[in-house]
PDB file of all heavy atoms in Angstrom:
ATOM      1  N   ARG A   1     121.977 141.590 117.400  1.00 95.00           N
ATOM      2  CA  ARG A   1     120.689 141.626 118.090  1.00 95.00           C
ATOM      3  C   ARG A   1     120.315 140.235 118.610  1.00 95.00           C
ATOM      4  O   ARG A   1     119.820 140.101 119.734  1.00 95.00           O
ATOM      5  CB  ARG A   1     119.606 142.174 117.153  1.00 95.00           C
ATOM      6  CG  ARG A   1     119.812 143.644 116.830  1.00 95.00           C
ATOM      7  CD  ARG A   1     118.910 144.168 115.707  1.00 95.00           C
ATOM      8  NE  ARG A   1     119.353 145.487 115.287  1.00 95.00           N
ATOM      9  CZ  ARG A   1     118.797 146.209 114.319  1.00 95.00           C
ATOM     10  NH1 ARG A   1     117.753 145.719 113.653  1.00 95.00           N
ATOM     11  NH2 ARG A   1     119.274 147.405 114.013  1.00 95.00           N
ATOM     12  N   LEU A   2     120.578 139.224 117.810  1.00 96.00           N
ATOM     13  CA  LEU A   2     120.304 137.857 118.253  1.00 96.00           C
ATOM     14  C   LEU A   2     121.196 137.475 119.426  1.00 96.00           C
ATOM     15  O   LEU A   2     120.734 136.856 120.400  1.00 96.00           O
ATOM     16  CB  LEU A   2     120.510 136.875 117.095  1.00 96.00           C
ATOM     17  CG  LEU A   2     120.378 135.389 117.439  1.00 96.00           C
ATOM     18  CD1 LEU A   2     118.998 135.079 118.028  1.00 96.00           C
ATOM     19  CD2 LEU A   2     120.646 134.529 116.204  1.00 96.00           C
ATOM     20  N   SER A   3     122.455 137.851 119.368  1.00 96.00           N
ATOM     21  CA  SER A   3     123.388 137.531 120.449  1.00 96.00           C
ATOM     22  C   SER A   3     122.955 138.173 121.759  1.00 96.00           C
ATOM     23  O   SER A   3     122.998 137.533 122.826  1.00 96.00           O
ATOM     24  CB  SER A   3     124.797 138.001 120.068  1.00 96.00           C
ATOM     25  OG  SER A   3     125.710 137.726 121.104  1.00 96.00           O
ATOM     26  N   ALA A   4     122.517 139.429 121.707  1.00 97.00           N
ATOM     27  CA  ALA A   4     122.064 140.111 122.922  1.00 97.00           C
ATOM     28  C   ALA A   4     120.778 139.486 123.451  1.00 97.00           C
ATOM     29  O   ALA A   4     120.581 139.378 124.679  1.00 97.00           O
ATOM     30  CB  ALA A   4     121.854 141.596 122.636  1.00 97.00           C
ATOM     31  N   PHE A   5     119.903 139.077 122.554  1.00 97.00           N
ATOM     32  CA  PHE A   5     118.666 138.376 122.932  1.00 97.00           C
ATOM     33  C   PHE A   5     118.994 137.098 123.707  1.00 97.00           C
ATOM     34  O   PHE A   5     118.452 136.839 124.792  1.00 97.00           O
ATOM     35  CB  PHE A   5     117.873 138.058 121.666  1.00 97.00           C
ATOM     36  CG  PHE A   5     116.744 137.083 121.833  1.00 97.00           C
ATOM     37  CD1 PHE A   5     115.526 137.475 122.364  1.00 97.00           C
ATOM     38  CD2 PHE A   5     116.889 135.756 121.431  1.00 97.00           C
ATOM     39  CE1 PHE A   5     114.477 136.574 122.507  1.00 97.00           C
ATOM     40  CE2 PHE A   5     115.855 134.848 121.559  1.00 97.00           C
ATOM     41  CZ  PHE A   5     114.644 135.252 122.104  1.00 97.00           C
ATOM     42  N   ARG A   6     119.910 136.300 123.158  1.00 97.00           N
ATOM     43  CA  ARG A   6     120.292 135.051 123.825  1.00 97.00           C
ATOM     44  C   ARG A   6     120.973 135.311 125.162  1.00 97.00           C
ATOM     45  O   ARG A   6     120.703 134.630 126.156  1.00 97.00           O
ATOM     46  CB  ARG A   6     121.227 134.256 122.912  1.00 97.00           C
ATOM     47  CG  ARG A   6     120.539 133.627 121.710  1.00 97.00           C
ATOM     48  CD  ARG A   6     121.569 133.032 120.769  1.00 97.00           C
ATOM     49  NE  ARG A   6     120.972 132.241 119.698  1.00 97.00           N
ATOM     50  CZ  ARG A   6     121.634 131.859 118.618  1.00 97.00           C
ATOM     51  NH1 ARG A   6     122.911 132.208 118.451  1.00 97.00           N
ATOM     52  NH2 ARG A   6     121.022 131.130 117.682  1.00 97.00           N
ATOM     53  N   ALA A   7     121.870 136.289 125.191  1.00 97.00           N
ATOM     54  CA  ALA A   7     122.600 136.589 126.423  1.00 97.00           C
ATOM     55  C   ALA A   7     121.660 137.048 127.534  1.00 97.00           C
ATOM     56  O   ALA A   7     121.834 136.696 128.715  1.00 97.00           O
ATOM     57  CB  ALA A   7     123.656 137.659 126.157  1.00 97.00           C
ATOM     58  N   THR A   8     120.654 137.823 127.171  1.00 97.00           N
ATOM     59  CA  THR A   8     119.691 138.306 128.164  1.00 97.00           C
ATOM     60  C   THR A   8     118.876 137.149 128.726  1.00 97.00           C
ATOM     61  O   THR A   8     118.718 137.006 129.945  1.00 97.00           O
ATOM     62  CB  THR A   8     118.751 139.352 127.545  1.00 97.00           C
ATOM     63  OG1 THR A   8     119.530 140.435 127.013  1.00 97.00           O
ATOM     64  CG2 THR A   8     117.781 139.901 128.588  1.00 97.00           C
ATOM     65  N   LEU A   9     118.376 136.297 127.853  1.00 96.00           N
ATOM     66  CA  LEU A   9     117.543 135.185 128.305  1.00 96.00           C
ATOM     67  C   LEU A   9     118.351 134.116 129.039  1.00 96.00           C
ATOM     68  O   LEU A   9     117.794 133.334 129.814  1.00 96.00           O
ATOM     69  CB  LEU A   9     116.806 134.573 127.122  1.00 96.00           C
ATOM     70  CG  LEU A   9     115.557 135.371 126.716  1.00 96.00           C
ATOM     71  CD1 LEU A   9     115.033 134.934 125.372  1.00 96.00           C
ATOM     72  CD2 LEU A   9     114.467 135.261 127.769  1.00 96.00           C
ATOM     73  N   ALA A  10     119.657 134.091 128.815  1.00 95.00           N
ATOM     74  CA  ALA A  10     120.504 133.134 129.538  1.00 95.00           C
ATOM     75  C   ALA A  10     120.493 133.407 131.045  1.00 95.00           C
ATOM     76  O   ALA A  10     120.774 132.509 131.845  1.00 95.00           O
ATOM     77  CB  ALA A  10     121.931 133.188 128.998  1.00 95.00           C
ATOM     78  N   ARG A  11     120.134 134.625 131.411  1.00 95.00           N
ATOM     79  CA  ARG A  11     120.056 134.972 132.841  1.00 95.00           C
ATOM     80  C   ARG A  11     118.733 134.537 133.460  1.00 95.00           C
ATOM     81  O   ARG A  11     118.531 134.681 134.666  1.00 95.00           O
ATOM     82  CB  ARG A  11     120.242 136.492 133.014  1.00 95.00           C
ATOM     83  CG  ARG A  11     121.559 137.021 132.458  1.00 95.00           C
ATOM     84  CD  ARG A  11     121.874 138.407 132.997  1.00 95.00           C
ATOM     85  NE  ARG A  11     120.860 139.397 132.665  1.00 95.00           N
ATOM     86  CZ  ARG A  11     120.898 140.163 131.581  1.00 95.00           C
ATOM     87  NH1 ARG A  11     121.905 140.041 130.712  1.00 95.00           N
ATOM     88  NH2 ARG A  11     119.960 141.055 131.350  1.00 95.00           N
ATOM     89  N   TYR A  12     117.841 134.023 132.616  1.00 95.00           N
ATOM     90  CA  TYR A  12     116.524 133.577 133.098  1.00 95.00           C
ATOM     91  C   TYR A  12     116.299 132.135 132.628  1.00 95.00           C
ATOM     92  O   TYR A  12     115.573 131.893 131.661  1.00 95.00           O
ATOM     93  CB  TYR A  12     115.423 134.494 132.562  1.00 95.00           C
ATOM     94  CG  TYR A  12     115.581 135.943 132.956  1.00 95.00           C
ATOM     95  CD1 TYR A  12     116.356 136.820 132.189  1.00 95.00           C
ATOM     96  CD2 TYR A  12     114.958 136.440 134.108  1.00 95.00           C
ATOM     97  CE1 TYR A  12     116.509 138.143 132.557  1.00 95.00           C
ATOM     98  CE2 TYR A  12     115.114 137.770 134.476  1.00 95.00           C
ATOM     99  CZ  TYR A  12     115.884 138.618 133.691  1.00 95.00           C
ATOM    100  OH  TYR A  12     116.030 139.927 134.052  1.00 95.00           O
ATOM    101  N   PRO A  13     116.914 131.168 133.300  1.00 91.00           N
ATOM    102  CA  PRO A  13     116.880 129.772 132.828  1.00 91.00           C
ATOM    103  C   PRO A  13     115.485 129.156 132.737  1.00 91.00           C
ATOM    104  O   PRO A  13     115.296 128.168 132.035  1.00 91.00           O
ATOM    105  CB  PRO A  13     117.743 129.033 133.865  1.00 91.00           C
ATOM    106  CG  PRO A  13     117.776 129.931 135.054  1.00 91.00           C
ATOM    107  CD  PRO A  13     117.697 131.322 134.539  1.00 91.00           C
ATOM    108  N   GLY A  14     114.496 129.743 133.387  1.00 92.00           N
ATOM    109  CA  GLY A  14     113.152 129.173 133.329  1.00 92.00           C
ATOM    110  C   GLY A  14     112.364 129.580 132.103  1.00 92.00           C
ATOM    111  O   GLY A  14     111.272 129.047 131.860  1.00 92.00           O
ATOM    112  N   LEU A  15     112.912 130.500 131.316  1.00 96.00           N
ATOM    113  CA  LEU A  15     112.191 131.001 130.147  1.00 96.00           C
ATOM    114  C   LEU A  15     112.666 130.323 128.863  1.00 96.00           C
ATOM    115  O   LEU A  15     113.798 129.838 128.781  1.00 96.00           O
ATOM    116  CB  LEU A  15     112.369 132.520 130.022  1.00 96.00           C
ATOM    117  CG  LEU A  15     111.913 133.359 131.231  1.00 96.00           C
ATOM    118  CD1 LEU A  15     112.080 134.839 130.931  1.00 96.00           C
ATOM    119  CD2 LEU A  15     110.475 133.035 131.597  1.00 96.00           C
ATOM    120  N   VAL A  16     111.803 130.298 127.864  1.00 95.00           N
ATOM    121  CA  VAL A  16     112.110 129.671 126.581  1.00 95.00           C
ATOM    122  C   VAL A  16     112.651 130.731 125.616  1.00 95.00           C
ATOM    123  O   VAL A  16     112.029 131.782 125.434  1.00 95.00           O
ATOM    124  CB  VAL A  16     110.864 129.008 125.972  1.00 95.00           C
ATOM    125  CG1 VAL A  16     111.171 128.471 124.568  1.00 95.00           C
ATOM    126  CG2 VAL A  16     110.357 127.899 126.881  1.00 95.00           C
ATOM    127  N   ALA A  17     113.797 130.439 124.994  1.00 96.00           N
ATOM    128  CA  ALA A  17     114.389 131.341 124.004  1.00 96.00           C
ATOM    129  C   ALA A  17     114.575 130.590 122.696  1.00 96.00           C
ATOM    130  O   ALA A  17     115.301 129.594 122.645  1.00 96.00           O
ATOM    131  CB  ALA A  17     115.722 131.870 124.506  1.00 96.00           C
ATOM    132  N   GLU A  18     113.930 131.065 121.634  1.00 96.00           N
ATOM    133  CA  GLU A  18     114.070 130.436 120.324  1.00 96.00           C
ATOM    134  C   GLU A  18     114.366 131.513 119.282  1.00 96.00           C
ATOM    135  O   GLU A  18     114.075 132.695 119.501  1.00 96.00           O
ATOM    136  CB  GLU A  18     112.784 129.693 119.929  1.00 96.00           C
ATOM    137  CG  GLU A  18     112.438 128.528 120.842  1.00 96.00           C
ATOM    138  CD  GLU A  18     111.211 127.769 120.354  1.00 96.00           C
ATOM    139  OE1 GLU A  18     110.714 128.093 119.245  1.00 96.00           O
ATOM    140  OE2 GLU A  18     110.751 126.863 121.065  1.00 96.00           O
ATOM    141  N   ASN A  19     114.951 131.083 118.179  1.00 96.00           N
ATOM    142  CA  ASN A  19     115.124 132.016 117.062  1.00 96.00           C
ATOM    143  C   ASN A  19     114.895 131.287 115.754  1.00 96.00           C
ATOM    144  O   ASN A  19     115.083 130.067 115.652  1.00 96.00           O
ATOM    145  CB  ASN A  19     116.507 132.651 117.067  1.00 96.00           C
ATOM    146  CG  ASN A  19     117.622 131.683 116.764  1.00 96.00           C
ATOM    147  OD1 ASN A  19     118.053 130.932 117.649  1.00 96.00           O
ATOM    148  ND2 ASN A  19     118.098 131.697 115.536  1.00 96.00           N
ATOM    149  N   SER A  20     114.448 132.035 114.758  1.00 95.00           N
ATOM    150  CA  SER A  20     114.160 131.470 113.447  1.00 95.00           C
ATOM    151  C   SER A  20     114.533 132.485 112.374  1.00 95.00           C
ATOM    152  O   SER A  20     114.418 133.700 112.591  1.00 95.00           O
ATOM    153  CB  SER A  20     112.677 131.116 113.337  1.00 95.00           C
ATOM    154  OG  SER A  20     112.399 130.482 112.110  1.00 95.00           O
ATOM    155  N   GLU A  21     115.021 131.987 111.225  1.00 95.00           N
ATOM    156  CA  GLU A  21     115.398 132.849 110.105  1.00 95.00           C
ATOM    157  C   GLU A  21     114.424 132.616 108.950  1.00 95.00           C
ATOM    158  O   GLU A  21     114.249 131.486 108.499  1.00 95.00           O
ATOM    159  CB  GLU A  21     116.820 132.530 109.654  1.00 95.00           C
ATOM    160  CG  GLU A  21     117.861 132.711 110.754  1.00 95.00           C
ATOM    161  CD  GLU A  21     119.241 132.237 110.333  1.00 95.00           C
ATOM    162  OE1 GLU A  21     119.579 132.389 109.129  1.00 95.00           O
ATOM    163  OE2 GLU A  21     119.974 131.707 111.187  1.00 95.00           O
ATOM    164  N   VAL A  22     113.801 133.699 108.486  1.00 95.00           N
ATOM    165  CA  VAL A  22     112.792 133.587 107.433  1.00 95.00           C
ATOM    166  C   VAL A  22     113.000 134.696 106.395  1.00 95.00           C
ATOM    167  O   VAL A  22     113.024 135.877 106.752  1.00 95.00           O
ATOM    168  CB  VAL A  22     111.364 133.704 108.015  1.00 95.00           C
ATOM    169  CG1 VAL A  22     110.330 133.572 106.907  1.00 95.00           C
ATOM    170  CG2 VAL A  22     111.124 132.667 109.094  1.00 95.00           C
ATOM    171  N   PRO A  23     113.146 134.351 105.122  1.00 92.00           N
ATOM    172  CA  PRO A  23     113.239 135.388 104.084  1.00 92.00           C
ATOM    173  C   PRO A  23     111.953 136.215 104.039  1.00 92.00           C
ATOM    174  O   PRO A  23     110.853 135.693 104.259  1.00 92.00           O
ATOM    175  CB  PRO A  23     113.420 134.582 102.786  1.00 92.00           C
ATOM    176  CG  PRO A  23     113.937 133.252 103.230  1.00 92.00           C
ATOM    177  CD  PRO A  23     113.299 132.993 104.562  1.00 92.00           C
ATOM    178  N   LEU A  24     112.084 137.492 103.712  1.00 88.00           N
ATOM    179  CA  LEU A  24     110.926 138.388 103.673  1.00 88.00           C
ATOM    180  C   LEU A  24     109.834 137.890 102.733  1.00 88.00           C
ATOM    181  O   LEU A  24     108.650 138.079 103.002  1.00 88.00           O
ATOM    182  CB  LEU A  24     111.366 139.783 103.212  1.00 88.00           C
ATOM    183  CG  LEU A  24     111.853 140.779 104.261  1.00 88.00           C
ATOM    184  CD1 LEU A  24     112.227 142.077 103.591  1.00 88.00           C
ATOM    185  CD2 LEU A  24     110.792 141.010 105.326  1.00 88.00           C
ATOM    186  N   THR A  25     110.220 137.271 101.649  1.00 89.00           N
ATOM    187  CA  THR A  25     109.249 136.912 100.608  1.00 89.00           C
ATOM    188  C   THR A  25     108.636 135.525 100.791  1.00 89.00           C
ATOM    189  O   THR A  25     107.782 135.127  99.992  1.00 89.00           O
ATOM    190  CB  THR A  25     109.928 136.969  99.224  1.00 89.00           C
ATOM    191  OG1 THR A  25     111.080 136.101  99.237  1.00 89.00           O
ATOM    192  CG2 THR A  25     110.376 138.385  98.905  1.00 89.00           C
ATOM    193  N   ASP A  26     109.037 134.784 101.821  1.00 94.00           N
ATOM    194  CA  ASP A  26     108.538 133.416 101.998  1.00 94.00           C
ATOM    195  C   ASP A  26     107.395 133.405 103.012  1.00 94.00           C
ATOM    196  O   ASP A  26     107.578 133.112 104.192  1.00 94.00           O
ATOM    197  CB  ASP A  26     109.670 132.495 102.459  1.00 94.00           C
ATOM    198  CG  ASP A  26     109.332 131.018 102.258  1.00 94.00           C
ATOM    199  OD1 ASP A  26     108.134 130.676 102.317  1.00 94.00           O
ATOM    200  OD2 ASP A  26     110.265 130.225 102.049  1.00 94.00           O
ATOM    201  N   ALA A  27     106.197 133.722 102.546  1.00 95.00           N
ATOM    202  CA  ALA A  27     105.032 133.824 103.432  1.00 95.00           C
ATOM    203  C   ALA A  27     104.684 132.475 104.063  1.00 95.00           C
ATOM    204  O   ALA A  27     104.320 132.407 105.246  1.00 95.00           O
ATOM    205  CB  ALA A  27     103.835 134.365 102.659  1.00 95.00           C
ATOM    206  N   ALA A  28     104.812 131.392 103.305  1.00 96.00           N
ATOM    207  CA  ALA A  28     104.464 130.070 103.824  1.00 96.00           C
ATOM    208  C   ALA A  28     105.386 129.674 104.968  1.00 96.00           C
ATOM    209  O   ALA A  28     104.939 129.139 106.007  1.00 96.00           O
ATOM    210  CB  ALA A  28     104.532 129.030 102.707  1.00 96.00           C
ATOM    211  N   LEU A  29     106.678 129.939 104.807  1.00 96.00           N
ATOM    212  CA  LEU A  29     107.637 129.610 105.863  1.00 96.00           C
ATOM    213  C   LEU A  29     107.388 130.469 107.105  1.00 96.00           C
ATOM    214  O   LEU A  29     107.481 129.989 108.238  1.00 96.00           O
ATOM    215  CB  LEU A  29     109.060 129.820 105.352  1.00 96.00           C
ATOM    216  CG  LEU A  29     110.197 129.408 106.303  1.00 96.00           C
ATOM    217  CD1 LEU A  29     110.092 127.932 106.655  1.00 96.00           C
ATOM    218  CD2 LEU A  29     111.555 129.717 105.672  1.00 96.00           C
ATOM    219  N   MET A  30     107.048 131.728 106.886  1.00 96.00           N
ATOM    220  CA  MET A  30     106.725 132.612 108.003  1.00 96.00           C
ATOM    221  C   MET A  30     105.510 132.096 108.766  1.00 96.00           C
ATOM    222  O   MET A  30     105.525 132.001 110.007  1.00 96.00           O
ATOM    223  CB  MET A  30     106.454 134.029 107.477  1.00 96.00           C
ATOM    224  CG  MET A  30     106.002 135.017 108.541  1.00 96.00           C
ATOM    225  SD  MET A  30     107.363 135.667 109.493  1.00 96.00           S
ATOM    226  CE  MET A  30     108.100 136.770 108.290  1.00 96.00           C
ATOM    227  N   ASP A  31     104.449 131.760 108.046  1.00 97.00           N
ATOM    228  CA  ASP A  31     103.240 131.238 108.685  1.00 97.00           C
ATOM    229  C   ASP A  31     103.552 129.990 109.506  1.00 97.00           C
ATOM    230  O   ASP A  31     103.089 129.843 110.642  1.00 97.00           O
ATOM    231  CB  ASP A  31     102.184 130.894 107.631  1.00 97.00           C
ATOM    232  CG  ASP A  31     101.635 132.134 106.930  1.00 97.00           C
ATOM    233  OD1 ASP A  31     101.979 133.256 107.341  1.00 97.00           O
ATOM    234  OD2 ASP A  31     100.860 131.961 105.967  1.00 97.00           O
ATOM    235  N   ASN A  32     104.345 129.104 108.930  1.00 96.00           N
ATOM    236  CA  ASN A  32     104.669 127.846 109.592  1.00 96.00           C
ATOM    237  C   ASN A  32     105.497 128.081 110.855  1.00 96.00           C
ATOM    238  O   ASN A  32     105.256 127.457 111.896  1.00 96.00           O
ATOM    239  CB  ASN A  32     105.433 126.931 108.626  1.00 96.00           C
ATOM    240  CG  ASN A  32     105.568 125.519 109.160  1.00 96.00           C
ATOM    241  OD1 ASN A  32     104.599 124.901 109.590  1.00 96.00           O
ATOM    242  ND2 ASN A  32     106.785 124.985 109.131  1.00 96.00           N
ATOM    243  N   ALA A  33     106.476 128.986 110.783  1.00 97.00           N
ATOM    244  CA  ALA A  33     107.326 129.267 111.938  1.00 97.00           C
ATOM    245  C   ALA A  33     106.502 129.827 113.099  1.00 97.00           C
ATOM    246  O   ALA A  33     106.667 129.413 114.255  1.00 97.00           O
ATOM    247  CB  ALA A  33     108.426 130.250 111.547  1.00 97.00           C
ATOM    248  N   LEU A  34     105.606 130.758 112.808  1.00 97.00           N
ATOM    249  CA  LEU A  34     104.792 131.359 113.858  1.00 97.00           C
ATOM    250  C   LEU A  34     103.744 130.378 114.390  1.00 97.00           C
ATOM    251  O   LEU A  34     103.512 130.303 115.610  1.00 97.00           O
ATOM    252  CB  LEU A  34     104.106 132.615 113.328  1.00 97.00           C
ATOM    253  CG  LEU A  34     105.046 133.782 113.013  1.00 97.00           C
ATOM    254  CD1 LEU A  34     104.298 134.900 112.295  1.00 97.00           C
ATOM    255  CD2 LEU A  34     105.693 134.318 114.288  1.00 97.00           C
TER     256      LEU A  34
END
């Protein structure tokens, strides 16, 4: 799913594409990432 996300956005160079990995139980890390 991440690979397809990146491949799709690669066709739109003006847009920002980011990804982040967060464990389900780490609420603080989730808050910080968002």
